Amino acid sequence: MIKVSANPAIDTVIKLVAVAVAMFAFVFVVMVPLYDALCDALGINGKTSAQAYTSVVAEVDESRTVTIQFMATNNEGMPWEFGPDVNAMKVHPGAVNDTVFHARNPLSEAMVAQAVPSVSPARAAEYFHKTECFCFNQQPLNGDTATEMPLQFIVDQDLPRDIRTITLSYTIFDVTDMAGGVAAR
């Protein structure tokens, strides 16, 4: 074994620094792709597009039905009341569908929120197209007021036939401080 220095304390510090650098590299180089691959394999954390889908003319497939489940969660510390108008709906691939989520700010001061969507199973995310969604923009809301937030979507006809249920989940976050003083509507 080759000695780096005559002082064992310096050897230990060098080894610890090398381990710390290796751990840092592992987290940023290996963990992110590994996490994405694991999520894809397990069908969790389906990411949807943050932009509106431009609809193309397609024939509605009335021979099959897909159940869309809607879920709403508040991030820790978010006081709003937030939820879907309906918990589930049956849709035909290719058809344009509309639903509404409701939000109420029970506080006396205005707040700004941002909803982050997730689709499950993850492999269904590429076939779930939002043409209008409250998640595309921050949602300002005055104190002690409520609002309806529309969602319009299309399930692509190319959705694999073994996927019969898609869960669309939104988590709503308080982004008032990050919104930079944006006044509520």
Side-chain angles (χ1 to χ4, degrees):
M1 187 164 147
I2 300 172
K3 278 202 158 222
V4 175
S5 73
N7 187 342
I10 293 174
D11 288 345
T12 303
V13 169
I14 290 171
K15 289 176 185 174
L16 288 174
V17 168
V19 167
V21 168
M23 288 172 51
F24 182 80
F26 178 77
V27 166
F28 287 99
V29 175
V30 177
M31 286 303 292
V32 172
L34 185 62
Y35 174 80
D36 287 340
L38 184 63
C39 287
D40 287 344
L42 297 176
I44 56 177
N45 200 22
K47 299 172 188 139
T48 64
S49 174
Q51 296 181 353
Y53 173 76
T54 303
S55 180
V56 295
V57 178
E59 198 169 307
V60 175
D61 183 359
E62 294 187 9
S63 70
R64 67 190 261 221
T65 304
V66 178
T67 301
I68 308 298
Q69 299 174 329
F70 301 101
M71 295 178 60
T73 306
N74 287 30
N75 188 47
E76 183 178 332
M78 179 55 157
W80 286 17
E81 296 165 13
F82 172 61
D85 191 35
V86 296
N87 292 323
M89 62 192 303
K90 295 192 180 293
V91 303
H92 296 291
V96 176
N97 305 279
D98 295 291
T99 190
V100 173
F101 277 67
H102 299 275
R104 182 178 168 281
N105 178 1
L107 302 181
S108 59
E109 65 267 4
M111 290 182 69
V112 180
Q114 179 70 54
V116 177
S118 179
V119 171
S120 183
R123 64 190 184 104
E126 67 182 282
Y127 304 100
F128 191 90
H129 308 297
K130 298 180 304 287
T131 56
E132 179 183 346
C133 183
F134 55 91
C135 64
F136 295 152
N137 301 304
Q138 294 178 344
Q139 301 296 318
L141 194 56
N142 286 323
D144 198 30
T145 57
T147 189
E148 290 185 347
M149 300 183 297
L151 169 66
Q152 186 175 74
F153 64 93
I154 300 168
V155 175
D156 199 303
Q157 289 182 320
D158 294 331
L159 177 75
R161 290 204 170 268
D162 65 315
I163 299 176
R164 293 183 183 90
T165 302
I166 297 174
T167 302
L168 177 61
S169 175
Y170 286 98
T171 302
I172 195 163
F173 294 84
D174 176 6
V175 295
T176 305
D177 292 339
M178 291 182 277
V182 173
R185 287 184 248 151

